[in-house]
Amino acid sequence: ITTEATLLLEEKFAPRTHIHGTLTDIKGIGTLICGESGVGKSECALALIERGHSLVSDDLTYVQRLSDRELVGTSSELSRGYMECRGLGIINIAELFGVRSVRMKKSIDLVINFVAWTPGMHEERTGLEESTMEILGLKVPAMEIPVRPGRDMARLVEVASMVQALKLMGHDSANDFNQRLIEHMVEKNK
């Protein structure tokens, strides 16, 4: 009973904030999609839901820090399971895609920031640069993905989430490839 009371008090008094972004559950990775209004966050989330992933919150995510090491996001009770899609209006995700397509809450494991692409802008090409976003005093892995016509943003977010899952299991593709490249260059120069 003491443990339950402690957990309830911890949750009740946990630091809280809200973030303008859409939170999804992609193969167990809580992925918060952020960006300017109209950049395509909800459309991307809708495509992810069509692929079998889940919606936690659309447009506004309420976040609380639990046990000084975990950030958990949720939606308001009023908007849970609903999504606004420009041109379509408000849609009920659970009715359209089934109850499995909506989650009550999810830890935030990755933040993806959509930015409008402009010619000459810096785009990460190797994956060696690691960025974070600070939320309620905790650093969360973050990346920036430029949005431009023809890009399958849902596929990019899905792959970014799977890359993060691999990193959490101790596998870093970019560093692995970089190490192989260095070994190859050393071997070639012998």
Side-chain angles (χ1 to χ4, degrees):
I1 294 177
T2 305
T3 304
E4 288 177 23
T6 302
L7 290 173
L8 284 172
L9 287 172
E10 186 177 273
E11 187 172 333
K12 180 76 175 166
F13 295 109
R16 300 168 192 270
T17 190
H18 60 275
I19 297 174
H20 181 66
T22 298
L23 181 58
T24 57
D25 179 354
I26 302 172
K27 297 186 187 273
I29 299 296
T31 305
L32 181 64
I33 305 167
C34 298
E36 294 294 319
S37 183
V39 77
K41 300 179 295 291
S42 294
E43 290 85 352
C44 176
L46 185 58
L48 290 164
I49 292 162
E50 287 178 315
R51 292 178 180 170
H53 305 297
S54 303
L55 175 72
V56 179
S57 63
D58 181 51
D59 198 41
L60 186 62
T61 299
Y62 294 91
V63 182
Q64 63 183 144
R65 188 182 78 202
L66 300 177
S67 67
D68 289 331
R69 65 182 183 280
E70 183 182 22
L71 296 169
V72 175
T74 190
S75 68
S76 72
E77 212 171 298
L78 179 66
S79 66
R80 183 168 297 123
Y82 289 90
M83 177 181 276
E84 176 198 349
C85 286
R86 293 174 195 259
L88 296 178
I90 306 295
I91 59 175
N92 184 319
I93 296 301
E95 284 182 3
L96 286 172
F97 300 99
V99 72
R100 287 188 194 176
S101 61
V102 177
R103 289 205 49 164
M104 298 283 282
K105 59 185 175 180
K106 181 70 184 130
S107 62
I108 299 174
D109 304 303
L110 176 65
V111 177
I112 295 181
N113 189 36
F114 284 178
V115 293
W117 178 82
T118 57
M121 76 182 299
H122 171 73
E123 294 183 69
E124 177 58 30
R125 305 252 333 232
T126 63
L128 293 171
E129 291 180 29
E130 294 196 8
S131 299
T132 59
M133 177 178 172
E134 190 169 311
I135 304 172
L136 294 172
L138 296 178
K139 293 186 179 194
V140 179
M143 60 179 53
E144 190 173 90
I145 300 179
V147 177
R148 61 178 181 235
R151 292 191 97 181
D152 184 347
M153 299 306 290
R155 175 126 5 231
L156 294 174
V157 169
E158 188 175 43
V159 170
S161 298
M162 290 188 292
V163 166
Q164 181 61 26
L166 281 173
K167 284 182 179 180
L168 290 172
M169 293 187 305
H171 304 283
D172 189 328
S173 302
N175 281 326
D176 292 347
F177 180 77
N178 191 48
Q179 189 58 44
R180 287 182 66 187
L181 183 60
I182 291 168
E183 289 169 5
H184 176 75
M185 289 171 21
V186 168
E187 192 66 32
K188 195 171 184 173
N189 287 330
K190 281 186 178 181

